[in-house]
Structure formats: C-alpha cells, structure tokens
Amino acid sequence: MSSLRTDNDTWDIASSVGATAVMVAAARAAETARDGALINDPYAKILVADAGTGAWEYMLDDDFIAKVAEADAELAPLFEHMGNYQAVRTHFFDDFFARAVEAGIRQVVILAAGLDSRAFRLPWPAGTTVYEIDQPKVLEYKSATLAAHRVQPSADRREVPIDLRQDWPAALRDAGFDPAAPTAWLAEGLLMYLPADAQDRLFAQVTELSAPGSRVAAESMGMHAEDRRERMRERFAALTAQFGIDEPMDIAELTYEDPDRAEVADWLSAHGWRAQRVESKDEMRRLDRLVEIVDADEDSFSAFTTAERV
C-alpha cells in the first residue's frame, strides 16, 4: 500500500494525485508542439502554466531532453520514453472515443478526468454529453483556467465533483446521466491509484450503469521492481538537484502495487463484456515511438483494454 495515501485523502491540482495530472498535461503539451505529433491538445500548455507545480513545466522546454542527456546520458531515453508513452496513450484513447461516436454513442463518462481536455478539443457530434468525474478542486481549476482563456467545450460538458470512493453513481445520475443509454467510459491514468478491491468495485459500478452496446477503455499498469524503482529515485534526485528544480513527488508513492489486482480484460470478460487487450509496448512500436531504455523493467509496461457490453 502507498505510504502517502489514506482512505479519505483528498487533493487539489498542486498536490498528491492531482499533481500527476499536471505531469500528463505537460507531456501532451510537449507532444502537441513537436513535428509529427500524434495528438493535438492546444489547451494542455494553458493548464500547466497556471498549476503552480513548477517541476513539470520543464517538460515544455524544447531542449529539455538534450539538457538531460548532458547531465545523465542514460536518463535521457527514459524521459523520451515517458513523453512518447503519454502521446501514444492519448492517441489510443482518442481513437477509442472516435470509434464510439461513430457507433452512435452520445454519452461519455471520463473517470478521474484530471486535466483531460477531450470535452473541449475533440470534434464531438451534436447531442454528445461528456461527464467528467473528479475531485472538486481539480475540476474547479480546469474550468476556471479554460474559461479565463475563453475556451468553450465542444460537447455538453457536465462536471461531477466527487471522489470515486464515494457514491459517484448517484452523483452521476443527479447530473443527468441516463443508464438506459449506451455509454463510452474511460479510466485513463486511474487504476494504479486505487487498491485492488476498489478497482473491482469501480468496474462493478460501471457495469451496473452500462446499457448493452456501451464501451469502456482502461489503462492498467504492470508491477514495478523495487530495486529498479530505488535506483530511479536516486538518479532523479541527482538530476533535479543539478537543474535546481524542486524535486517532484515520487509517483510510485501514490500508487498501490497489489499482486492480487485483477487483470482488467479478464475481469470484464467474466462480467458481461467482450474485451480486448493491447500491450502499450506493442502500440508504441506500431506508431514508431518505442525507445530502448537502459535498465528497463519489462514487467512494468502497461496495457490498454477496450470492451463492449453484450
């Protein structure tokens, strides 16, 4: 169990799990600015700039990887891998939503939405409603920041400000959600922050709310070797000290490493869904974004699962 987490912890955009959303947005902003970008997120940079987390803003520097290489040649490919992974992950789930709306789905739920800007940047068909569930302060920051820049959603966006460990299904219904309508669900960058039993409960709740034809997509992480994780901590600490950066929190301290965690595709297949699993490493290779890393932890690679309710 994570040493930084408690059953009733909460956060804003600059602390705990909330700050990881800034890291992801910074990666999306950096990807958007590069040649041959896999995604286009024009709002990510706006959301990072005002977040007040400091360290992640360095990812927006075009020369960041080169500067890291000068300091630690073996760490530079790791940072490149991290950026590529976020780009590939975003691209995969963007495509999931494109296929869902092509199939006629007009109800979308983004679980633990963080600084996800899909409700603003994707070309949703008329009549689409996007529900975003997350901690109240996280949603408040995103809405206020984008409104200040006069950014408008491209769908009927509805906030559901609630912790997923609370009665979020009731809050979702109160926001107008229709359980009788097919829904496209997304659990991106979420499951690793939940204990194994909470993950099972989450998918049971999603299943209960899903009409036939609904779809779900999720990212699941592998187990990390503790000895490699400690080596990475030490090297990141040395790097941040050299750059004069306030060291960001250790994300691994926010996650739950549980060997009994259910494999997502298996759980869904056993509970009324038709599921498919794609290894993230294979998707990165397919998109020519796989980077060879020294001291790689093969078991830590993630998987992307999609499923349809039958």
Side-chain angles (χ1 to χ4, degrees), residues 183-251:
T183 304
W185 303 84
L186 177 61
E188 178 187 29
L190 165 61
L191 300 184
M192 70 286 287
Y193 301 112
L194 297 176
D197 59 342
Q199 175 179 306
D200 290 349
R201 184 166 60 252
L202 177 77
F203 282 121
Q205 292 166 314
V206 167
T207 299
E208 183 178 347
L209 293 168
S210 294
S214 293
R215 301 185 181 193
V216 64
E219 171 198 29
S220 56
M221 303 299 294
M223 297 288 290
H224 294 75
E226 180 56 37
D227 59 340
R228 180 180 182 275
R229 196 158 63 184
E230 183 57 35
R231 290 194 298 273
M232 289 298 104
R233 285 192 193 103
E234 294 173 357
R235 295 177 75 171
F236 276 118
L239 186 69
T240 54
Q242 181 169 341
F243 276 80
I245 305 171
D246 290 336
E247 187 174 354
M249 69 190 68
D250 182 357
I251 294 174

Coordinates of all heavy atoms in Angstrom, one line a residue, residues 183-251:
T183 N -23.1 4.0 -23.2 CA -22.1 5.0 -22.7 C -20.7 4.6 -23.1 O -20.4 3.4 -23.2 CB -22.2 5.0 -21.2 OG1 -23.5 5.4 -20.8 CG2 -21.3 6.1 -20.6
A184 N -19.8 5.5 -23.4 CA -18.4 5.3 -23.5 C -17.7 5.8 -22.3 O -17.7 6.9 -21.9 CB -17.9 6.0 -24.8
W185 N -17.1 4.8 -21.6 CA -16.4 5.1 -20.3 C -14.9 5.1 -20.5 O -14.3 4.3 -21.3 CB -16.7 4.0 -19.3 CG -18.1 3.8 -19.0 CD1 -19.0 3.0 -19.6 CD2 -18.8 4.3 -17.8 NE1 -20.2 3.0 -19.0 CE2 -20.1 3.8 -17.9 CE3 -18.5 5.2 -16.8 CZ2 -21.1 4.1 -17.0 CZ3 -19.4 5.5 -15.8 CH2 -20.7 5.0 -15.9
L186 N -14.2 5.9 -19.8 CA -12.7 5.9 -19.9 C -12.1 6.0 -18.5 O -12.5 6.8 -17.6 CB -12.2 7.2 -20.6 CG -10.6 7.3 -20.7 CD1 -10.0 6.1 -21.4 CD2 -10.2 8.6 -21.4
A187 N -11.2 5.0 -18.2 CA -10.4 5.0 -17.0 C -8.9 5.1 -17.4 O -8.2 4.0 -17.5 CB -10.7 3.8 -16.2
E188 N -8.5 6.3 -17.6 CA -7.1 6.5 -18.1 C -6.3 7.1 -16.9 O -6.7 8.1 -16.3 CB -7.1 7.5 -19.3 CG -5.7 7.9 -19.8 CD -5.8 8.9 -20.9 OE1 -6.8 9.8 -20.8 OE2 -4.9 9.0 -21.8
G189 N -5.1 6.6 -16.6 CA -4.3 7.1 -15.6 C -5.0 7.1 -14.2 O -4.8 8.0 -13.4
L190 N -5.7 6.0 -14.0 CA -6.6 5.9 -12.8 C -6.3 4.7 -11.9 O -6.1 4.8 -10.7 CB -8.1 6.0 -13.2 CG -9.1 5.6 -12.1 CD1 -9.0 6.5 -10.9 CD2 -10.5 5.6 -12.7
L191 N -6.3 3.5 -12.5 CA -6.4 2.3 -11.8 C -5.2 2.1 -10.8 O -5.4 1.5 -9.7 CB -6.5 1.1 -12.7 CG -7.7 1.1 -13.7 CD1 -7.7 -0.2 -14.5 CD2 -9.0 1.3 -12.9
M192 N -4.1 2.6 -11.2 CA -2.9 2.4 -10.3 C -3.0 3.2 -9.0 O -2.4 2.9 -8.0 CB -1.6 2.8 -11.0 CG -1.4 4.2 -11.3 SD -2.4 4.9 -12.6 CE -1.6 4.1 -14.0
Y193 N -3.9 4.1 -8.9 CA -4.1 4.9 -7.7 C -5.3 4.4 -6.9 O -5.6 5.0 -5.9 CB -4.5 6.4 -8.1 CG -3.3 7.0 -8.9 CD1 -3.5 7.4 -10.2 CD2 -2.1 7.3 -8.3 CE1 -2.5 8.0 -11.0 CE2 -1.1 7.8 -9.1 CZ -1.3 8.2 -10.4 OH -0.3 8.7 -11.1
L194 N -5.8 3.2 -7.3 CA -6.8 2.5 -6.5 C -6.3 1.2 -6.0 O -5.6 0.5 -6.7 CB -8.0 2.2 -7.4 CG -8.8 3.4 -8.0 CD1 -9.9 2.9 -8.9 CD2 -9.4 4.3 -6.9
P195 N -6.7 0.8 -4.7 CA -6.4 -0.5 -4.3 C -7.2 -1.5 -5.1 O -8.1 -1.2 -5.8 CB -7.0 -0.5 -2.8 CG -7.1 0.9 -2.4 CD -7.4 1.6 -3.7
A196 N -6.7 -2.8 -5.1 CA -7.3 -3.8 -6.0 C -8.8 -4.0 -5.7 O -9.6 -4.1 -6.7 CB -6.6 -5.2 -5.7
D197 N -9.3 -3.9 -4.5 CA -10.7 -4.1 -4.2 C -11.5 -2.9 -4.7 O -12.6 -3.0 -5.2 CB -11.0 -4.4 -2.8 CG -10.5 -3.2 -1.9 OD1 -9.7 -2.4 -2.3 OD2 -11.0 -3.2 -0.7
A198 N -10.9 -1.7 -4.7 CA -11.6 -0.5 -5.2 C -11.7 -0.6 -6.7 O -12.7 -0.1 -7.3 CB -10.9 0.7 -4.8
Q199 N -10.7 -1.2 -7.4 CA -10.8 -1.3 -8.8 C -11.9 -2.2 -9.2 O -12.7 -1.9 -10.1 CB -9.4 -1.9 -9.4 CG -9.5 -2.2 -10.8 CD -8.2 -2.8 -11.4 OE1 -7.1 -2.2 -11.2 NE2 -8.2 -3.9 -12.0
D200 N -12.0 -3.3 -8.5 CA -13.2 -4.3 -8.8 C -14.5 -3.6 -8.6 O -15.4 -3.7 -9.4 CB -13.1 -5.5 -7.8 CG -11.9 -6.4 -8.2 OD1 -11.3 -6.2 -9.3 OD2 -11.6 -7.3 -7.4
R201 N -14.6 -2.8 -7.5 CA -15.8 -2.1 -7.2 C -16.2 -1.1 -8.3 O -17.3 -0.9 -8.7 CB -15.8 -1.5 -5.8 CG -17.0 -0.8 -5.3 CD -17.0 -0.5 -3.9 NE -15.9 0.4 -3.5 CZ -14.8 0.0 -2.8 NH1 -14.7 -1.2 -2.5 NH2 -13.8 0.9 -2.6
L202 N -15.2 -0.4 -8.7 CA -15.4 0.6 -9.8 C -15.9 0.0 -11.0 O -16.9 0.4 -11.6 CB -14.0 1.3 -10.1 CG -14.1 2.3 -11.2 CD1 -14.7 3.6 -10.7 CD2 -12.7 2.6 -11.8
F203 N -15.4 -1.1 -11.5 CA -15.8 -1.8 -12.7 C -17.2 -2.4 -12.5 O -18.0 -2.5 -13.4 CB -14.8 -2.8 -13.2 CG -13.7 -2.1 -13.9 CD1 -12.4 -2.3 -13.5 CD2 -13.9 -1.3 -15.0 CE1 -11.3 -1.7 -14.1 CE2 -12.8 -0.7 -15.7 CZ -11.5 -0.9 -15.3
A204 N -17.5 -2.9 -11.3 CA -18.8 -3.4 -11.0 C -19.9 -2.3 -11.1 O -21.0 -2.5 -11.6 CB -18.9 -4.0 -9.6
Q205 N -19.5 -1.1 -10.6 CA -20.4 0.0 -10.7 C -20.6 0.5 -12.2 O -21.7 0.8 -12.6 CB -19.9 1.2 -9.9 CG -19.9 0.9 -8.4 CD -19.1 1.9 -7.6 OE1 -18.0 2.2 -7.9 NE2 -19.7 2.4 -6.5
V206 N -19.5 0.5 -12.9 CA -19.6 0.9 -14.3 C -20.5 -0.1 -15.1 O -21.3 0.2 -15.9 CB -18.2 0.9 -15.0 CG1 -18.3 0.9 -16.5 CG2 -17.4 2.1 -14.5
T207 N -20.3 -1.4 -14.8 CA -21.1 -2.5 -15.4 C -22.6 -2.3 -15.1 O -23.4 -2.4 -16.0 CB -20.6 -3.9 -14.9 OG1 -19.3 -4.0 -15.3 CG2 -21.5 -4.9 -15.6
E208 N -22.9 -2.0 -13.9 CA -24.3 -1.8 -13.5 C -24.9 -0.6 -14.2 O -26.1 -0.6 -14.5 CB -24.4 -1.6 -12.0 CG -25.8 -1.4 -11.4 CD -25.8 -1.3 -9.9 OE1 -24.8 -1.5 -9.3 OE2 -26.9 -0.9 -9.4
L209 N -24.1 0.4 -14.5 CA -24.7 1.6 -15.2 C -24.6 1.5 -16.7 O -25.0 2.5 -17.4 CB -23.9 2.8 -14.7 CG -24.0 3.2 -13.3 CD1 -22.9 4.2 -12.9 CD2 -25.4 3.8 -13.0
S210 N -24.1 0.4 -17.3 CA -23.9 0.3 -18.7 C -25.0 -0.5 -19.4 O -25.1 -1.7 -19.2 CB -22.5 -0.3 -19.0 OG -21.5 0.5 -18.5
A211 N -25.7 0.2 -20.3 CA -26.6 -0.5 -21.2 C -25.9 -1.3 -22.3 O -24.7 -1.0 -22.5 CB -27.5 0.6 -21.9
P212 N -26.6 -2.3 -22.8 CA -25.9 -3.0 -23.9 C -25.4 -2.1 -25.0 O -26.1 -1.1 -25.4 CB -27.1 -3.9 -24.4 CG -28.0 -4.1 -23.2 CD -27.9 -2.8 -22.5
G213 N -24.2 -2.4 -25.6 CA -23.6 -1.6 -26.6 C -22.7 -0.5 -26.0 O -22.0 0.2 -26.7
S214 N -22.7 -0.4 -24.6 CA -21.7 0.5 -24.0 C -20.3 0.0 -24.2 O -20.1 -1.1 -24.5 CB -22.0 0.6 -22.5 OG -23.3 1.3 -22.2
R215 N -19.4 1.0 -24.1 CA -18.0 0.6 -24.3 C -17.2 1.2 -23.1 O -17.5 2.2 -22.6 CB -17.5 1.2 -25.6 CG -18.2 0.6 -26.8 CD -17.6 1.1 -28.1 NE -18.4 0.6 -29.3 CZ -18.0 0.6 -30.5 NH1 -16.8 1.1 -30.8 NH2 -18.7 0.1 -31.5
V216 N -16.1 0.5 -22.8 CA -15.2 1.0 -21.8 C -13.7 0.8 -22.2 O -13.4 -0.1 -23.0 CB -15.4 0.3 -20.4 CG1 -15.1 -1.2 -20.6 CG2 -14.6 0.9 -19.3
A217 N -12.9 1.8 -21.9 CA -11.5 1.7 -22.1 C -10.7 2.0 -20.9 O -11.1 2.9 -20.1 CB -11.1 2.7 -23.2
A218 N -9.6 1.3 -20.6 CA -8.9 1.4 -19.4 C -7.4 1.2 -19.6 O -7.0 0.4 -20.5 CB -9.4 0.5 -18.3
E219 N -6.6 1.9 -18.8 CA -5.1 1.6 -18.8 C -4.8 0.9 -17.5 O -5.3 1.3 -16.5 CB -4.4 3.0 -18.8 CG -2.9 2.9 -18.6 CD -2.3 4.2 -18.2 OE1 -3.1 5.1 -17.6 OE2 -1.1 4.4 -18.5
S220 N -4.0 -0.2 -17.6 CA -3.6 -0.9 -16.4 C -2.1 -1.0 -16.4 O -1.5 -1.2 -17.5 CB -4.2 -2.3 -16.4 OG -4.0 -3.0 -17.5
M221 N -1.5 -0.9 -15.3 CA 0.0 -0.9 -15.1 C 0.5 -2.2 -14.6 O -0.2 -2.9 -13.9 CB 0.4 0.2 -14.2 CG 0.0 1.6 -14.5 SD 0.6 2.2 -16.2 CE 2.4 2.3 -15.8
G222 N 1.7 -2.6 -15.0 CA 2.3 -3.8 -14.5 C 3.0 -3.5 -13.2 O 3.0 -2.4 -12.7
M223 N 3.6 -4.5 -12.6 CA 4.3 -4.4 -11.3 C 5.7 -3.8 -11.6 O 6.4 -4.2 -12.5 CB 4.4 -5.7 -10.6 CG 3.0 -6.3 -10.3 SD 2.2 -5.4 -8.9 CE 3.3 -5.9 -7.5
H224 N 6.2 -3.0 -10.6 CA 7.5 -2.4 -10.7 C 8.4 -3.0 -9.8 O 8.1 -3.3 -8.6 CB 7.4 -0.9 -10.4 CG 6.7 -0.1 -11.4 ND1 5.3 -0.1 -11.5 CD2 7.1 0.8 -12.4 CE1 4.9 0.7 -12.5 NE2 5.9 1.2 -13.1
A225 N 9.6 -3.4 -10.2 CA 10.6 -4.0 -9.4 C 11.1 -2.9 -8.4 O 11.5 -1.8 -8.8 CB 11.8 -4.5 -10.2
E226 N 11.2 -3.2 -7.1 CA 11.5 -2.2 -6.1 C 13.0 -1.8 -6.2 O 13.3 -0.6 -6.0 CB 11.3 -2.8 -4.7 CG 11.6 -1.8 -3.6 CD 10.9 -0.5 -3.7 OE1 9.7 -0.5 -4.1 OE2 11.5 0.6 -3.4
D227 N 13.9 -2.7 -6.6 CA 15.3 -2.3 -6.7 C 15.5 -1.3 -7.8 O 16.2 -0.3 -7.6 CB 16.2 -3.5 -6.8 CG 15.9 -4.3 -8.1 OD1 14.7 -4.2 -8.6 OD2 16.7 -5.1 -8.5
R228 N 14.8 -1.5 -8.9 CA 15.0 -0.5 -10.0 C 14.3 0.8 -9.7 O 14.8 1.9 -10.0 CB 14.3 -1.1 -11.3 CG 14.4 -0.1 -12.5 CD 13.8 -0.7 -13.7 NE 13.9 0.2 -14.9 CZ 13.1 1.3 -15.1 NH1 12.1 1.5 -14.3 NH2 13.4 2.0 -16.2
R229 N 13.2 0.7 -9.0 CA 12.5 1.9 -8.6 C 13.4 2.8 -7.7 O 13.4 4.0 -7.8 CB 11.2 1.6 -7.9 CG 10.2 2.7 -7.8 CD 8.8 2.3 -7.6 NE 8.6 1.5 -6.3 CZ 7.5 0.9 -6.0 NH1 6.4 1.0 -6.8 NH2 7.4 0.3 -4.8
E230 N 14.1 2.1 -6.8 CA 15.0 2.9 -5.9 C 16.2 3.5 -6.7 O 16.6 4.6 -6.4 CB 15.6 1.9 -4.8 CG 16.4 2.6 -3.8 CD 15.7 3.8 -3.1 OE1 14.5 3.7 -2.8 OE2 16.4 4.8 -2.8
R231 N 16.7 2.8 -7.7 CA 17.8 3.4 -8.5 C 17.2 4.6 -9.2 O 17.9 5.6 -9.4 CB 18.3 2.3 -9.5 CG 19.1 1.2 -8.9 CD 19.8 0.4 -9.9 NE 19.0 -0.2 -10.9 CZ 18.4 -1.4 -10.8 NH1 18.6 -2.1 -9.7 NH2 17.7 -2.0 -11.7
M232 N 16.0 4.5 -9.7 CA 15.5 5.7 -10.4 C 15.2 6.9 -9.5 O 15.5 8.0 -9.9 CB 14.1 5.3 -11.1 CG 14.3 4.3 -12.3 SD 15.2 5.0 -13.7 CE 16.8 4.2 -13.5
R233 N 14.8 6.6 -8.3 CA 14.6 7.7 -7.3 C 15.9 8.4 -7.1 O 16.0 9.7 -7.1 CB 14.2 7.1 -6.0 CG 12.8 6.6 -5.9 CD 12.4 6.4 -4.4 NE 11.1 5.7 -4.3 CZ 11.0 4.4 -4.0 NH1 12.1 3.7 -3.8 NH2 9.8 3.8 -3.9
E234 N 17.0 7.7 -6.9 CA 18.3 8.3 -6.7 C 18.8 9.1 -7.9 O 19.3 10.2 -7.7 CB 19.3 7.2 -6.4 CG 19.1 6.5 -5.0 CD 20.0 5.3 -4.8 OE1 20.8 5.0 -5.7 OE2 19.9 4.7 -3.8
R235 N 18.6 8.6 -9.1 CA 19.0 9.3 -10.3 C 18.2 10.6 -10.5 O 18.7 11.6 -10.9 CB 19.0 8.4 -11.5 CG 20.0 7.3 -11.3 CD 20.0 6.3 -12.5 NE 20.6 6.9 -13.7 CZ 20.9 6.1 -14.8 NH1 20.5 4.9 -14.8 NH2 21.4 6.7 -15.8
F236 N 16.9 10.5 -10.3 CA 16.0 11.6 -10.5 C 16.4 12.7 -9.4 O 16.3 13.9 -9.7 CB 14.5 11.2 -10.3 CG 13.9 10.7 -11.6 CD1 13.4 9.4 -11.7 CD2 13.9 11.5 -12.8 CE1 12.9 8.9 -12.8 CE2 13.3 11.0 -13.9 CZ 12.8 9.7 -14.0
A237 N 16.7 12.3 -8.2 CA 17.0 13.3 -7.2 C 18.3 14.0 -7.6 O 18.4 15.2 -7.4 CB 17.2 12.5 -5.9
A238 N 19.3 13.3 -8.1 CA 20.5 13.9 -8.6 C 20.3 14.9 -9.7 O 20.9 16.0 -9.8 CB 21.5 12.9 -9.0
L239 N 19.4 14.5 -10.6 CA 19.1 15.3 -11.8 C 18.4 16.6 -11.4 O 18.7 17.7 -11.8 CB 18.2 14.6 -12.8 CG 18.0 15.3 -14.1 CD1 19.2 15.3 -14.9 CD2 16.9 14.5 -14.9
T240 N 17.4 16.5 -10.5 CA 16.6 17.7 -10.1 C 17.6 18.7 -9.3 O 17.4 19.9 -9.4 CB 15.4 17.3 -9.2 OG1 15.8 16.5 -8.2 CG2 14.4 16.6 -10.1
A241 N 18.5 18.1 -8.5 CA 19.4 18.9 -7.8 C 20.3 19.7 -8.7 O 20.6 20.9 -8.5 CB 20.2 18.1 -6.8
Q242 N 20.8 19.0 -9.8 CA 21.7 19.7 -10.8 C 21.0 20.8 -11.5 O 21.6 21.8 -11.8 CB 22.2 18.6 -11.7 CG 23.2 19.2 -12.8 CD 23.9 18.1 -13.5 OE1 24.0 17.0 -13.1 NE2 24.4 18.4 -14.7
F243 N 19.7 20.6 -11.8 CA 18.9 21.6 -12.5 C 18.3 22.7 -11.6 O 17.7 23.6 -12.1 CB 17.8 20.9 -13.3 CG 18.2 20.4 -14.6 CD1 18.8 19.1 -14.7 CD2 17.9 21.1 -15.8 CE1 19.2 18.6 -15.9 CE2 18.3 20.5 -17.0 CZ 19.0 19.3 -17.1
G244 N 18.4 22.5 -10.3 CA 17.9 23.4 -9.4 C 16.3 23.4 -9.4 O 15.7 24.4 -9.1
I245 N 15.8 22.2 -9.6 CA 14.3 22.0 -9.7 C 13.9 21.5 -8.3 O 14.5 20.6 -7.7 CB 13.9 21.0 -10.8 CG1 14.5 21.4 -12.1 CG2 12.4 20.9 -10.8 CD1 14.3 20.4 -13.2
D246 N 12.7 22.0 -7.9 CA 12.1 21.4 -6.7 C 11.7 20.0 -7.1 O 10.9 19.8 -8.0 CB 10.9 22.2 -6.2 CG 11.2 23.6 -5.7 OD1 12.4 23.7 -5.2 OD2 10.4 24.5 -5.7
E247 N 12.2 19.0 -6.3 CA 12.0 17.6 -6.7 C 10.5 17.3 -6.6 O 9.9 17.5 -5.6 CB 12.8 16.7 -5.8 CG 12.7 15.2 -6.2 CD 13.6 14.4 -5.4 OE1 14.4 14.9 -4.6 OE2 13.6 13.1 -5.6
P248 N 9.9 16.8 -7.7 CA 8.5 16.4 -7.7 C 8.3 15.2 -6.9 O 9.3 14.4 -6.6 CB 8.2 16.1 -9.2 CG 9.5 15.7 -9.8 CD 10.6 16.5 -9.1
M249 N 7.1 14.9 -6.4 CA 6.9 13.8 -5.6 C 7.1 12.5 -6.4 O 7.1 12.5 -7.6 CB 5.4 13.8 -5.1 CG 4.4 13.6 -6.2 SD 2.7 13.9 -5.7 CE 2.8 15.6 -5.4
D250 N 7.4 11.5 -5.6 CA 7.6 10.1 -6.2 C 6.3 9.5 -6.5 O 5.5 9.2 -5.6 CB 8.4 9.3 -5.2 CG 8.7 7.9 -5.8 OD1 8.3 7.6 -6.9 OD2 9.4 7.1 -5.1
I251 N 5.9 9.5 -7.8 CA 4.6 9.0 -8.2 C 4.3 7.6 -7.7 O 3.2 7.2 -7.3 CB 4.4 9.1 -9.7 CG1 4.4 10.5 -10.2 CG2 3.1 8.4 -10.2 CD1 4.4 10.7 -11.6

